[in-house]
Amino acid sequence: MDVEFTYNRTTSRRCHFALEHVIHLGVKVLFPEEVVLQSPQVAGSWNHAQDTKNDAQPAIKTRKAMKDHTKPAAKERRPDAQASPGPAAFAEKSAHRVNEAQVPRAREKEFFNPVLNENQKLAVRRILSGDCRPLPYILFGPPGTGKTVTIIEAVLQVYYALPDSRILVCAPSNSAADLVCLRLHASQGLRPGAMVRVNATCRFEETVTDAIKTYCKDGEDIWKASRFRIIITTCSSAGLFYQIGVRVGHFTHVFVDEAGQASEPECLIPLGLVSDANGQIVLAGDPMQLGPVIKSRLAMAYGLSVSMLERLMSRQVYLRDENAFGACGAYNPLLVTKLVKNYRSHPALLALPSRLFYHKELEVCADPAVVTSLLGWEKLPKKGFPLIFHGVRGSEAREGRSPSWFNAAEAVQVLRYCCLLARSLSSQVSASDIGVITPYRKQVEKIKILLRNVDLTDIKVGSVEEFQGQEYLAVIISTVRSNEDRFEDDRYFLGFLSNSKRFNVAITRPKALLIVLGNPHVLVRDPCFGALLEYSITNGVYTGCNLPPELQSLPK
């Protein structure tokens, strides 16, 4: 066979252009050193006086914890709060005239989404106020905490409260951008003609769902699309606006969802179009989950595998500080809001990632009917505790010249658990509610073949990257590696398994049941899997092969 590859340079060229173009944002935005407060964009415009009053108290405490240069701004806010109705009220009246049937109902209450929690509401208020613009505002959203829901609310609030706003919403992938579009569509809070979805010219039409196609039609003409007030696209496709001469400052607000998965140059493409004086940048994501996928070792050595969101959170002004901001989630609330209410997982599944990655701050808020649905499953080693660590001392192997590993013993055990779950008498699970995560392509292939033989093709099998942002009722993880010989560098030997972010994503996908298959004699060398082993043993949910000596003395 004669195979030839061609490389599409469009995204790389847009990244290079963005790096040159983003210079207008300057050091104050790209490498922030201090917080300089601006007058709020929206103040005193919330409908419920009681809510405004309740929110004012923590804001005053926060300012006292800040440096001296923040004090004058605290005084500025009071007269604003008692002044004229403000831009939000004006937007309401305008919207009422245009669409009487829809908008008044949406604005009867302060928030479009009535079930937002306090942290989500605080984030929306901060984005709307824009106290520190143009410094990027970070929405730190651990798994299952509803960061996209918060972004949707913020977009709707900005749209109505600031009539002159022009909003660009981006994400690194089409699927994430489509999700934002669908959620905004489902909110029923926008007038027809308010939003457009801009696709790359190379995107196949059949990959676009019908609900989104309505918004894509106007996006085919970039000139026409640029006139819409809400534009949704990928970070790369935002580069199309440079090509038609859209000026710097055209957008007043730029939201980047899943910003932790975008490389920094990719993230800078949409940011180059925001105003350097009054523009509001919002980055939503989780620096503790998977970052951008970078293939080049040279690029990784120079830091391209670190997203802009993660890099900013390591800057002094964005750092966690329990002494200064203990009452506000340990981060400066003018720059960062950390969401802590988890709406996905059972408490037993949330405890370990909360301890390892999120300072034990995650709170269980998931629907009890969902997360407890498998507590009666007959194969649980400990009833009422939906976790199994199944020790398998199999053998890893490769086929031909393939660099990818597989483990036949683990693949068969995965098949067994899938069959038990899908055909259980007490707690039957739909095949589409089961996910199988494994780090090697060859293991994915072997498990899919086995599942095909028993008519369970609806079970999704894939790598950790394919599962980020998704959730399943039950998740089975096959770790594959099983060579027990000692290596000088265990982290190199463990490969994919030694990445703490990959581990975090994998174990936070399930709602009601997590099953981990692996060789404890190998996995004990990794800090994260070692912690999971200890957690499983002490809670009496370890089963399978004998444990390594260092784990045998743990209390059961």
Side-chain angles (χ1 to χ4, degrees):
M1 295 178 70
D2 182 16
V3 181
E4 186 176 312
F5 294 93
T6 58
Y7 178 68
N8 186 337
R9 294 179 56 233
T10 304
T11 299
S12 294
R13 291 179 70 181
R14 285 173 179 164
C15 287
H16 280 282
F17 185 82
L19 285 167
E20 294 166 4
H21 204 64
V22 83
I23 195 73
H24 78 277
L25 290 176
V27 174
K28 68 179 185 291
V29 173
L30 301 177
F31 302 94
E33 295 288 348
E34 61 176 355
V35 177
V36 179
L37 291 182
Q38 306 268 28
S39 58
Q41 293 184 106
V42 176
S45 59
W46 297 92
N47 290 353
H48 295 301
Q50 186 62 39
D51 285 347
T52 309
K53 184 180 173 185
N54 291 344
D55 190 48
Q57 198 60 35
I60 292 166
K61 288 179 183 175
T62 301
R63 282 175 167 75
K64 286 180 181 174
M66 299 277 288
K67 294 180 182 178
D68 291 339
H69 67 258
T70 64
K71 290 179 181 176
K75 292 176 184 175
E76 282 177 19
R77 191 179 283 270
R78 287 176 186 165
D80 283 340
Q82 296 169 1
S84 58
F90 173 77
E92 267 182 71
K93 289 176 184 174
S94 305
H96 184 82
R97 284 195 295 269
V98 176
N99 190 351
E100 292 183 1
Q102 188 181 42
V103 179
R105 280 202 299 273
R107 295 295 289 167
E108 278 170 11
K109 295 186 178 178
E110 182 181 351
F111 292 96
F112 289 91
N113 187 340
V115 296
L116 293 178
N117 62 51
E118 285 310 308
N119 283 347
Q120 290 171 323
K121 289 177 181 178
L122 177 64
V124 172
R125 289 187 178 109
R126 292 296 182 207
I127 292 167
L128 202 54
S129 181
D131 292 304
C132 298
R133 63 189 187 280
L135 265 66
Y137 181 88
I138 292 178
L139 183 64
F140 179 0
T145 53
K147 56 183 178 296
T148 304
V149 169
T150 312
I151 290 291
I152 298 306
E153 180 70 33
V155 169
L156 290 170
Q157 292 288 354
V158 169
Y159 176 77
Y160 282 107
L162 298 166
D164 294 329
S165 60
R166 289 177 301 281
I167 306 162
L168 178 61
V169 188
C170 294
S173 65
N174 276 316
S175 56
D178 285 349
L179 178 63
V180 172
C181 188
L182 281 172
R183 293 275 180 88
L184 280 168
H185 168 75
S187 73
Q188 298 183 338
L190 293 174
R191 301 195 295 274
M195 176 172 72
V196 65
R197 170 74 170 94
V198 175
N199 286 304
T201 49
C202 58
R203 190 180 186 192
F204 294 116
E205 193 178 336
E206 54 268 26
T207 63
V208 184
T209 61
D210 290 338
I212 292 171
K213 277 180 184 173
T214 329
Y215 299 99
C216 296
K217 192 172 181 183
D218 293 315
E220 292 167 9
D221 181 344
I222 301 301
W223 280 103
K224 189 176 179 182
S226 67
R227 299 190 190 103
F228 281 74
R229 279 190 57 202
I230 299 176
I231 299 173
I232 299 171
T233 186
T234 60
C235 294
S236 175
S237 293
L240 290 167
F241 294 105
Y242 291 106
Q243 293 171 218
I244 62 167
V246 168
R247 68 190 186 283
V248 169
H250 176 81
F251 294 103
T252 60
H253 293 73
V254 174
F255 292 83
V256 183
D257 197 11
E258 300 295 354
Q261 288 182 267
S263 69
E264 180 147 11
E266 190 182 4
C267 190
L268 291 175
I269 296 172
L271 301 195
L273 295 164
V274 76
S275 167
D276 60 334
N278 252 343
Q280 174 76 69
I281 296 167
V282 180
L283 305 179
D286 180 4
M288 304 310 296
Q289 294 189 64
L290 285 175
V293 177
I294 303 295
K295 303 290 186 184
S296 164
R297 290 185 181 179
L298 186 65
M300 289 174 71
Y302 279 93
L304 275 181
S305 57
V306 178
S307 67
M308 184 177 183
L309 178 137
E310 185 176 355
R311 182 182 65 78
L312 284 176
M313 288 197 75
S314 66
R315 304 285 301 177
Q316 188 65 39
V317 292
Y318 285 91
L319 283 179
R320 180 184 173 86
D321 187 340
E322 291 188 14
N323 294 326
F325 308 111
C328 314
Y331 291 98
N332 182 344
L334 302 177
L335 291 175
V336 181
T337 297
K338 181 180 180 182
L339 305 177
V340 294
K341 293 185 184 294
N342 178 284
Y343 296 97
R344 177 182 296 161
S345 303
H346 187 277
L349 305 181
L350 199 60
L352 186 65
S354 181
R355 172 164 62 87
L356 292 178
F357 303 106
Y358 303 107
H359 298 89
K360 300 182 181 178
E361 290 173 344
L362 298 189
E363 301 172 21
V364 179
C365 296
D367 181 358
V370 175
V371 298
T372 61
S373 58
L374 295 177
L375 294 184
W377 189 44
E378 59 271 16
K379 296 300 175 182
L380 286 178
K382 181 179 177 181
K383 290 291 178 283
F385 203 91
L387 172 65
I388 302 173
F389 197 115
H390 192 117
V392 180
R393 292 183 87 172
S395 58
E396 58 186 49
R398 290 191 282 200
E399 285 183 347
R401 296 171 66 183
S402 169
S404 191
W405 297 94
F406 70 95
N407 186 317
E410 284 188 22
V412 170
Q413 193 62 51
V414 167
L415 173 69
R416 180 172 172 269
Y417 275 121
C418 287
C419 291
L420 287 169
L421 279 168
R423 289 154 191 176
S424 166
L425 295 175
S426 61
S427 308
Q428 188 172 355
V429 182
S430 165
S432 59
D433 283 331
I434 303 171
V436 178
I437 303 175
T438 185
Y440 293 98
R441 180 55 48 196
K442 188 57 72 172
Q443 184 77 342
V444 169
E445 186 184 305
K446 299 292 183 188
I447 292 170
K448 281 184 174 178
I449 291 169
L450 291 175
L451 292 174
R452 201 180 304 133
N453 292 336
V454 292
D455 288 333
L456 289 176
T457 52
D458 286 343
I459 293 177
K460 176 167 178 177
V461 187
S463 65
V464 182
E465 284 77 6
E466 293 174 67
F467 276 82
Q468 178 144 329
Q470 298 187 27
E471 56 184 33
Y472 287 81
L473 194 67
V475 168
I476 304 169
I477 301 173
S478 168
T479 56
V480 180
R481 302 309 296 267
S482 202
N483 189 332
E484 295 175 22
D485 296 334
R486 298 300 297 183
F487 283 77
E488 286 184 20
D489 187 351
D490 283 334
R491 291 185 69 79
Y492 175 77
F493 162 67
L494 287 168
F496 287 129
L497 302 181
S498 64
N499 184 319
S500 61
K501 292 181 179 181
R502 189 171 273 109
F503 172 86
N504 184 28
V505 172
I507 67 166
T508 52
R509 299 307 98 196
K511 300 179 190 175
L513 175 67
L514 173 64
I515 302 171
V516 181
L517 307 174
N519 187 333
H521 298 262
V522 172
L523 296 178
V524 71
R525 304 178 203 173
D526 178 73
C528 292
F529 277 99
L532 179 59
L533 267 166
E534 287 184 24
Y535 183 69
S536 304
I537 294 162
T538 53
N539 283 289
V541 293
Y542 178 85
T543 186
C545 68
N546 291 333
L547 289 164
E550 58 264 50
L551 293 174
Q552 288 176 4
S553 59
L554 287 173
K556 297 180 178 61

Short mmCIF file of all heavy atoms in Angstrom, two decimals, residues 456-497:
data_model
loop_
_atom_site.label_atom_id
_atom_site.label_comp_id
_atom_site.label_asym_id
_atom_site.label_seq_id
_atom_site.Cartn_x
_atom_site.Cartn_y
_atom_site.Cartn_z
N LEU A 456 -24.38 -6.81 22.68
CA LEU A 456 -24.33 -5.65 23.57
C LEU A 456 -23.53 -4.52 22.91
O LEU A 456 -22.70 -3.87 23.54
CB LEU A 456 -23.69 -6.03 24.92
CG LEU A 456 -24.53 -6.93 25.84
CD1 LEU A 456 -23.75 -7.32 27.09
CD2 LEU A 456 -25.84 -6.24 26.25
N THR A 457 -23.82 -4.29 21.65
CA THR A 457 -23.07 -3.27 20.90
C THR A 457 -23.43 -1.84 21.31
O THR A 457 -22.72 -0.90 20.94
CB THR A 457 -23.32 -3.43 19.38
OG1 THR A 457 -24.73 -3.45 19.16
CG2 THR A 457 -22.69 -4.70 18.84
N ASP A 458 -24.51 -1.67 22.07
CA ASP A 458 -24.88 -0.31 22.51
C ASP A 458 -24.03 0.20 23.67
O ASP A 458 -24.14 1.36 24.07
CB ASP A 458 -26.36 -0.27 22.93
CG ASP A 458 -27.29 -0.31 21.72
OD1 ASP A 458 -26.80 -0.04 20.61
OD2 ASP A 458 -28.48 -0.62 21.89
N ILE A 459 -23.21 -0.69 24.23
CA ILE A 459 -22.30 -0.26 25.30
C ILE A 459 -21.15 0.52 24.67
O ILE A 459 -20.49 0.04 23.76
CB ILE A 459 -21.75 -1.48 26.08
CG1 ILE A 459 -22.89 -2.16 26.84
CG2 ILE A 459 -20.64 -1.06 27.04
CD1 ILE A 459 -22.49 -3.43 27.59
N LYS A 460 -20.91 1.73 25.16
CA LYS A 460 -19.83 2.54 24.60
C LYS A 460 -18.49 2.09 25.19
O LYS A 460 -18.33 1.99 26.40
CB LYS A 460 -20.04 4.02 24.88
CG LYS A 460 -18.86 4.85 24.39
CD LYS A 460 -19.09 6.32 24.34
CE LYS A 460 -17.83 7.03 23.87
NZ LYS A 460 -17.96 8.46 23.71
N VAL A 461 -17.52 1.84 24.30
CA VAL A 461 -16.17 1.46 24.71
C VAL A 461 -15.21 2.47 24.09
O VAL A 461 -15.26 2.72 22.88
CB VAL A 461 -15.81 0.03 24.24
CG1 VAL A 461 -14.47 -0.40 24.82
CG2 VAL A 461 -16.90 -0.96 24.61
N GLY A 462 -14.35 3.06 24.90
CA GLY A 462 -13.43 4.05 24.34
C GLY A 462 -12.36 4.48 25.33
O GLY A 462 -12.28 3.99 26.46
N SER A 463 -11.53 5.41 24.89
CA SER A 463 -10.45 5.93 25.73
C SER A 463 -11.00 6.99 26.68
O SER A 463 -12.14 7.44 26.54
CB SER A 463 -9.36 6.54 24.84
OG SER A 463 -9.89 7.67 24.16
N VAL A 464 -10.16 7.41 27.61
CA VAL A 464 -10.56 8.44 28.57
C VAL A 464 -10.95 9.72 27.84
O VAL A 464 -11.94 10.38 28.18
CB VAL A 464 -9.42 8.72 29.57
CG1 VAL A 464 -9.85 9.76 30.60
CG2 VAL A 464 -9.00 7.44 30.28
N GLU A 465 -10.17 10.08 26.80
CA GLU A 465 -10.44 11.31 26.05
C GLU A 465 -11.84 11.31 25.46
O GLU A 465 -12.51 12.34 25.42
CB GLU A 465 -9.42 11.48 24.92
CG GLU A 465 -8.04 11.94 25.35
CD GLU A 465 -7.20 10.83 25.96
OE1 GLU A 465 -7.62 9.65 25.97
OE2 GLU A 465 -6.10 11.13 26.45
N GLU A 466 -12.31 10.14 25.01
CA GLU A 466 -13.64 10.05 24.42
C GLU A 466 -14.76 10.19 25.45
O GLU A 466 -15.90 10.45 25.10
CB GLU A 466 -13.79 8.70 23.70
CG GLU A 466 -12.91 8.57 22.46
CD GLU A 466 -12.97 7.16 21.88
OE1 GLU A 466 -14.05 6.79 21.37
OE2 GLU A 466 -11.95 6.45 21.93
N PHE A 467 -14.41 10.02 26.73
CA PHE A 467 -15.43 10.06 27.78
C PHE A 467 -15.49 11.39 28.52
O PHE A 467 -16.40 11.62 29.30
CB PHE A 467 -15.19 8.93 28.80
CG PHE A 467 -15.79 7.61 28.38
CD1 PHE A 467 -15.13 6.77 27.50
CD2 PHE A 467 -17.03 7.21 28.86
CE1 PHE A 467 -15.67 5.56 27.11
CE2 PHE A 467 -17.59 6.00 28.48
CZ PHE A 467 -16.91 5.17 27.60
N GLN A 468 -14.49 12.28 28.30
CA GLN A 468 -14.51 13.54 29.03
C GLN A 468 -15.78 14.32 28.69
O GLN A 468 -16.16 14.45 27.54
CB GLN A 468 -13.28 14.40 28.70
CG GLN A 468 -13.32 15.75 29.41
CD GLN A 468 -11.95 16.25 29.86
OE1 GLN A 468 -11.08 15.48 30.18
NE2 GLN A 468 -11.78 17.55 29.88
N GLY A 469 -16.44 14.83 29.72
CA GLY A 469 -17.68 15.58 29.55
C GLY A 469 -18.91 14.71 29.51
O GLY A 469 -20.03 15.23 29.45
N GLN A 470 -18.74 13.38 29.56
CA GLN A 470 -19.89 12.48 29.51
C GLN A 470 -20.12 11.81 30.86
O GLN A 470 -19.26 11.84 31.73
CB GLN A 470 -19.67 11.42 28.42
CG GLN A 470 -19.54 12.00 27.03
CD GLN A 470 -19.50 10.92 25.96
OE1 GLN A 470 -20.03 9.83 26.13
NE2 GLN A 470 -18.87 11.22 24.85
N GLU A 471 -21.29 11.21 31.00
CA GLU A 471 -21.61 10.48 32.23
C GLU A 471 -22.44 9.25 31.89
O GLU A 471 -23.20 9.24 30.92
CB GLU A 471 -22.37 11.39 33.21
CG GLU A 471 -23.63 12.01 32.64
CD GLU A 471 -24.30 12.98 33.60
OE1 GLU A 471 -23.61 13.65 34.37
OE2 GLU A 471 -25.55 13.04 33.57
N TYR A 472 -22.25 8.20 32.69
CA TYR A 472 -22.97 6.94 32.49
C TYR A 472 -23.42 6.41 33.85
O TYR A 472 -22.80 6.70 34.87
CB TYR A 472 -22.08 5.90 31.79
CG TYR A 472 -21.87 6.21 30.33
CD1 TYR A 472 -20.93 7.15 29.92
CD2 TYR A 472 -22.65 5.60 29.36
CE1 TYR A 472 -20.76 7.47 28.58
CE2 TYR A 472 -22.49 5.91 28.02
CZ TYR A 472 -21.54 6.84 27.63
OH TYR A 472 -21.39 7.15 26.30
N LEU A 473 -24.49 5.63 33.84
CA LEU A 473 -24.99 5.07 35.09
C LEU A 473 -23.93 4.16 35.71
O LEU A 473 -23.65 4.23 36.90
CB LEU A 473 -26.29 4.28 34.83
CG LEU A 473 -27.09 3.91 36.08
CD1 LEU A 473 -27.66 5.16 36.74
CD2 LEU A 473 -28.22 2.95 35.73
N ALA A 474 -23.34 3.30 34.89
CA ALA A 474 -22.29 2.39 35.36
C ALA A 474 -21.07 2.50 34.44
O ALA A 474 -21.21 2.57 33.22
CB ALA A 474 -22.80 0.95 35.37
N VAL A 475 -19.89 2.52 35.04
CA VAL A 475 -18.65 2.61 34.27
C VAL A 475 -17.71 1.51 34.69
O VAL A 475 -17.53 1.25 35.89
CB VAL A 475 -17.98 4.00 34.46
CG1 VAL A 475 -16.55 3.99 33.91
CG2 VAL A 475 -18.79 5.08 33.77
N ILE A 476 -17.11 0.85 33.70
CA ILE A 476 -16.12 -0.20 33.94
C ILE A 476 -14.79 0.28 33.37
O ILE A 476 -14.73 0.70 32.21
CB ILE A 476 -16.54 -1.54 33.28
CG1 ILE A 476 -17.92 -1.97 33.78
CG2 ILE A 476 -15.50 -2.62 33.57
CD1 ILE A 476 -18.54 -3.11 33.00
N ILE A 477 -13.73 0.24 34.17
CA ILE A 477 -12.41 0.67 33.72
C ILE A 477 -11.49 -0.54 33.64
O ILE A 477 -11.34 -1.27 34.63
CB ILE A 477 -11.81 1.73 34.68
CG1 ILE A 477 -12.71 2.95 34.77
CG2 ILE A 477 -10.40 2.12 34.22
CD1 ILE A 477 -12.27 3.96 35.82
N SER A 478 -10.88 -0.76 32.47
CA SER A 478 -9.89 -1.82 32.30
C SER A 478 -8.52 -1.15 32.14
O SER A 478 -8.28 -0.43 31.18
CB SER A 478 -10.22 -2.66 31.07
OG SER A 478 -9.13 -3.50 30.73
N THR A 479 -7.61 -1.39 33.09
CA THR A 479 -6.32 -0.68 33.09
C THR A 479 -5.26 -1.34 32.21
O THR A 479 -4.25 -0.71 31.89
CB THR A 479 -5.78 -0.54 34.52
OG1 THR A 479 -5.69 -1.84 35.10
CG2 THR A 479 -6.71 0.33 35.36
N VAL A 480 -5.43 -2.62 31.87
CA VAL A 480 -4.61 -3.37 30.89
C VAL A 480 -3.22 -3.76 31.39
O VAL A 480 -2.87 -4.95 31.36
CB VAL A 480 -4.49 -2.61 29.53
CG1 VAL A 480 -3.64 -3.43 28.54
CG2 VAL A 480 -5.86 -2.32 28.95
N ARG A 481 -2.39 -2.81 31.82
CA ARG A 481 -0.99 -3.12 32.11
C ARG A 481 -0.85 -4.14 33.23
O ARG A 481 -1.50 -4.04 34.26
CB ARG A 481 -0.21 -1.85 32.47
CG ARG A 481 -0.23 -0.77 31.39
CD ARG A 481 0.15 -1.28 30.01
NE ARG A 481 1.51 -1.76 29.88
CZ ARG A 481 2.56 -1.05 29.48
NH1 ARG A 481 2.39 0.24 29.20
NH2 ARG A 481 3.74 -1.58 29.36
N SER A 482 0.04 -5.14 33.03
CA SER A 482 0.12 -6.22 34.00
C SER A 482 1.51 -6.80 34.16
O SER A 482 1.68 -7.85 34.75
CB SER A 482 -0.86 -7.33 33.59
OG SER A 482 -1.19 -8.14 34.68
N ASN A 483 2.55 -6.13 33.64
CA ASN A 483 3.92 -6.61 33.79
C ASN A 483 4.43 -6.22 35.17
O ASN A 483 4.59 -5.05 35.48
CB ASN A 483 4.80 -5.99 32.69
CG ASN A 483 6.18 -6.62 32.65
OD1 ASN A 483 6.69 -7.09 33.67
ND2 ASN A 483 6.79 -6.61 31.49
N GLU A 484 4.70 -7.21 36.00
CA GLU A 484 5.06 -6.95 37.40
C GLU A 484 6.55 -6.72 37.62
O GLU A 484 6.98 -6.49 38.76
CB GLU A 484 4.54 -8.09 38.29
CG GLU A 484 3.02 -8.17 38.30
CD GLU A 484 2.50 -9.36 39.08
OE1 GLU A 484 3.24 -9.88 39.95
OE2 GLU A 484 1.35 -9.79 38.82
N ASP A 485 7.38 -6.83 36.58
CA ASP A 485 8.81 -6.58 36.74
C ASP A 485 9.04 -5.12 37.12
O ASP A 485 8.36 -4.22 36.63
CB ASP A 485 9.56 -6.89 35.43
CG ASP A 485 9.47 -8.37 35.08
OD1 ASP A 485 9.30 -9.17 36.02
OD2 ASP A 485 9.54 -8.70 33.88
N ARG A 486 10.03 -4.89 37.96
CA ARG A 486 10.33 -3.52 38.38
C ARG A 486 11.04 -2.75 37.27
O ARG A 486 11.87 -3.30 36.56
CB ARG A 486 11.23 -3.51 39.62
CG ARG A 486 10.62 -4.15 40.84
CD ARG A 486 9.35 -3.50 41.31
NE ARG A 486 9.55 -2.13 41.73
CZ ARG A 486 8.60 -1.35 42.24
NH1 ARG A 486 7.37 -1.80 42.36
NH2 ARG A 486 8.87 -0.12 42.62
N PHE A 487 10.69 -1.49 37.11
CA PHE A 487 11.34 -0.62 36.15
C PHE A 487 11.94 0.57 36.90
O PHE A 487 11.43 0.98 37.94
CB PHE A 487 10.34 -0.12 35.09
CG PHE A 487 10.01 -1.15 34.05
CD1 PHE A 487 9.15 -2.20 34.34
CD2 PHE A 487 10.57 -1.08 32.79
CE1 PHE A 487 8.84 -3.14 33.38
CE2 PHE A 487 10.26 -2.02 31.83
CZ PHE A 487 9.41 -3.05 32.11
N GLU A 488 13.02 1.12 36.36
CA GLU A 488 13.65 2.27 37.01
C GLU A 488 12.67 3.44 37.10
O GLU A 488 12.64 4.16 38.08
CB GLU A 488 14.91 2.70 36.25
CG GLU A 488 16.08 1.74 36.46
CD GLU A 488 17.34 2.23 35.77
OE1 GLU A 488 17.41 3.44 35.48
OE2 GLU A 488 18.23 1.41 35.53
N ASP A 489 11.90 3.62 36.05
CA ASP A 489 10.93 4.72 36.03
C ASP A 489 9.54 4.13 35.84
O ASP A 489 9.10 3.87 34.73
CB ASP A 489 11.26 5.70 34.88
CG ASP A 489 10.37 6.95 34.93
OD1 ASP A 489 9.41 6.95 35.73
OD2 ASP A 489 10.63 7.89 34.17
N ASP A 490 8.86 3.91 36.98
CA ASP A 490 7.53 3.30 36.91
C ASP A 490 6.53 4.18 36.17
O ASP A 490 5.62 3.69 35.52
CB ASP A 490 7.00 3.03 38.32
CG ASP A 490 7.65 1.80 38.94
OD1 ASP A 490 8.09 0.94 38.16
OD2 ASP A 490 7.73 1.71 40.16
N ARG A 491 6.71 5.50 36.26
CA ARG A 491 5.77 6.40 35.60
C ARG A 491 5.86 6.24 34.08
O ARG A 491 4.87 6.26 33.38
CB ARG A 491 6.03 7.86 36.00
CG ARG A 491 5.69 8.14 37.46
CD ARG A 491 5.85 9.62 37.79
NE ARG A 491 4.83 10.41 37.12
CZ ARG A 491 3.58 10.53 37.55
NH1 ARG A 491 3.18 9.89 38.63
NH2 ARG A 491 2.72 11.29 36.90
N TYR A 492 7.08 6.04 33.60
CA TYR A 492 7.25 5.82 32.15
C TYR A 492 6.62 4.48 31.77
O TYR A 492 5.93 4.37 30.77
CB TYR A 492 8.73 5.83 31.78
CG TYR A 492 8.98 5.49 30.33
CD1 TYR A 492 8.73 6.42 29.33
CD2 TYR A 492 9.41 4.21 29.96
CE1 TYR A 492 8.91 6.10 27.99
CE2 TYR A 492 9.61 3.89 28.64
CZ TYR A 492 9.36 4.83 27.65
OH TYR A 492 9.54 4.51 26.33
N PHE A 493 6.82 3.48 32.60
CA PHE A 493 6.28 2.15 32.30
C PHE A 493 4.75 2.16 32.30
O PHE A 493 4.11 1.58 31.44
CB PHE A 493 6.81 1.14 33.33
CG PHE A 493 6.00 -0.13 33.37
CD1 PHE A 493 6.00 -1.00 32.29
CD2 PHE A 493 5.22 -0.44 34.47
CE1 PHE A 493 5.25 -2.16 32.32
CE2 PHE A 493 4.47 -1.60 34.50
CZ PHE A 493 4.49 -2.46 33.42
N LEU A 494 4.17 2.85 33.29
CA LEU A 494 2.72 2.87 33.40
C LEU A 494 2.05 3.68 32.29
O LEU A 494 0.88 3.53 32.01
CB LEU A 494 2.30 3.42 34.77
CG LEU A 494 2.53 2.47 35.95
CD1 LEU A 494 2.36 3.22 37.25
CD2 LEU A 494 1.59 1.29 35.91
N GLY A 495 2.82 4.57 31.67
CA GLY A 495 2.31 5.30 30.52
C GLY A 495 1.05 6.08 30.84
O GLY A 495 1.04 6.93 31.73
N PHE A 496 -0.04 5.75 30.12
CA PHE A 496 -1.30 6.47 30.28
C PHE A 496 -1.79 6.46 31.73
O PHE A 496 -2.40 7.40 32.19
CB PHE A 496 -2.38 5.83 29.40
CG PHE A 496 -2.22 6.12 27.95
CD1 PHE A 496 -2.22 5.09 27.01
CD2 PHE A 496 -2.06 7.41 27.50
CE1 PHE A 496 -2.09 5.36 25.67
CE2 PHE A 496 -1.92 7.69 26.16
CZ PHE A 496 -1.93 6.66 25.24
N LEU A 497 -1.53 5.39 32.44
CA LEU A 497 -2.09 5.25 33.78
C LEU A 497 -1.48 6.22 34.77
O LEU A 497 -2.07 6.51 35.81
CB LEU A 497 -1.87 3.81 34.30
CG LEU A 497 -2.45 2.68 33.44
CD1 LEU A 497 -2.18 1.35 34.09
CD2 LEU A 497 -3.94 2.86 33.23
#
